[in-house]
Amino acid sequence: HDALPIWKKKRAVRALTKAKKKAEAIAESSEMGGRSKQRAIESVLKRAGKVTKKPRKQTVVAKGGRAGSSAKTGSRVKIVDSRSRADRLRGHKKADAKKAAKKKGGRPSAGRR
């Protein structure tokens, strides 16, 4: 049998249908621009618990001569050497700092100087 009780399922379905109606109303409204509509719809669906953040691709450092094969492989795993991994992480850190600064309205701080 299912893990969730029936009342929880019903509540989730109700919240989702409500969110879908709101999203449709936002999509049909002519007051907002395209990007702001998209943001509003995302926030409505997030509140309903529908949107999940997609995880970043995981990088695994290949040790020795095993650049082609490793124990951990899959669609979200990329096997790299240590330098390229460091560069990639530095890039992500910088991008995240820029986003945070834009949100706050200040200037970005990218870790160490």
Side-chain angles (χ1 to χ4, degrees):
H1 73 185
D2 293 326
L4 281 177
I6 293 170
W7 63 271
K8 277 192 179 179
K9 280 185 185 175
K10 282 185 179 178
R11 184 192 288 170
V13 168
R14 206 176 320 125
L16 199 61
T17 52
K18 210 174 182 183
K20 280 185 181 176
K21 279 182 187 174
K22 274 188 183 179
E24 283 174 17
I26 291 168
E28 289 172 10
S29 72
S30 58
E31 312 157 2
M32 286 191 229
R35 182 70 184 125
S36 55
K37 273 185 191 180
Q38 193 177 355
R39 262 197 222 111
I41 289 170
E42 278 176 14
S43 70
V44 165
L45 291 177
K46 194 184 279 184
R47 269 186 247 130
K50 187 66 181 164
V51 178
T52 54
K53 201 173 184 184
K54 201 162 95 174
R56 284 189 179 143
K57 197 165 211 175
Q58 188 181 3
T59 50
V60 176
V61 177
K63 291 183 177 85
R66 295 181 298 190
S69 65
S70 177
K72 195 168 190 178
T73 53
S75 63
R76 298 239 164 263
V77 178
K78 186 180 182 186
I79 297 152
V80 292
D81 67 327
S82 58
R83 287 170 301 164
S84 63
R85 181 175 180 275
D87 290 342
R88 190 163 183 269
L89 289 176
R90 200 175 308 116
H92 284 317
K93 237 182 192 173
K94 224 175 195 175
D96 290 346
K98 239 182 197 172
K99 272 186 196 170
K102 194 174 185 182
K103 217 175 209 179
K104 267 187 178 175
R107 79 176 239 257
S109 62
R112 288 190 281 168
R113 302 236 169 194

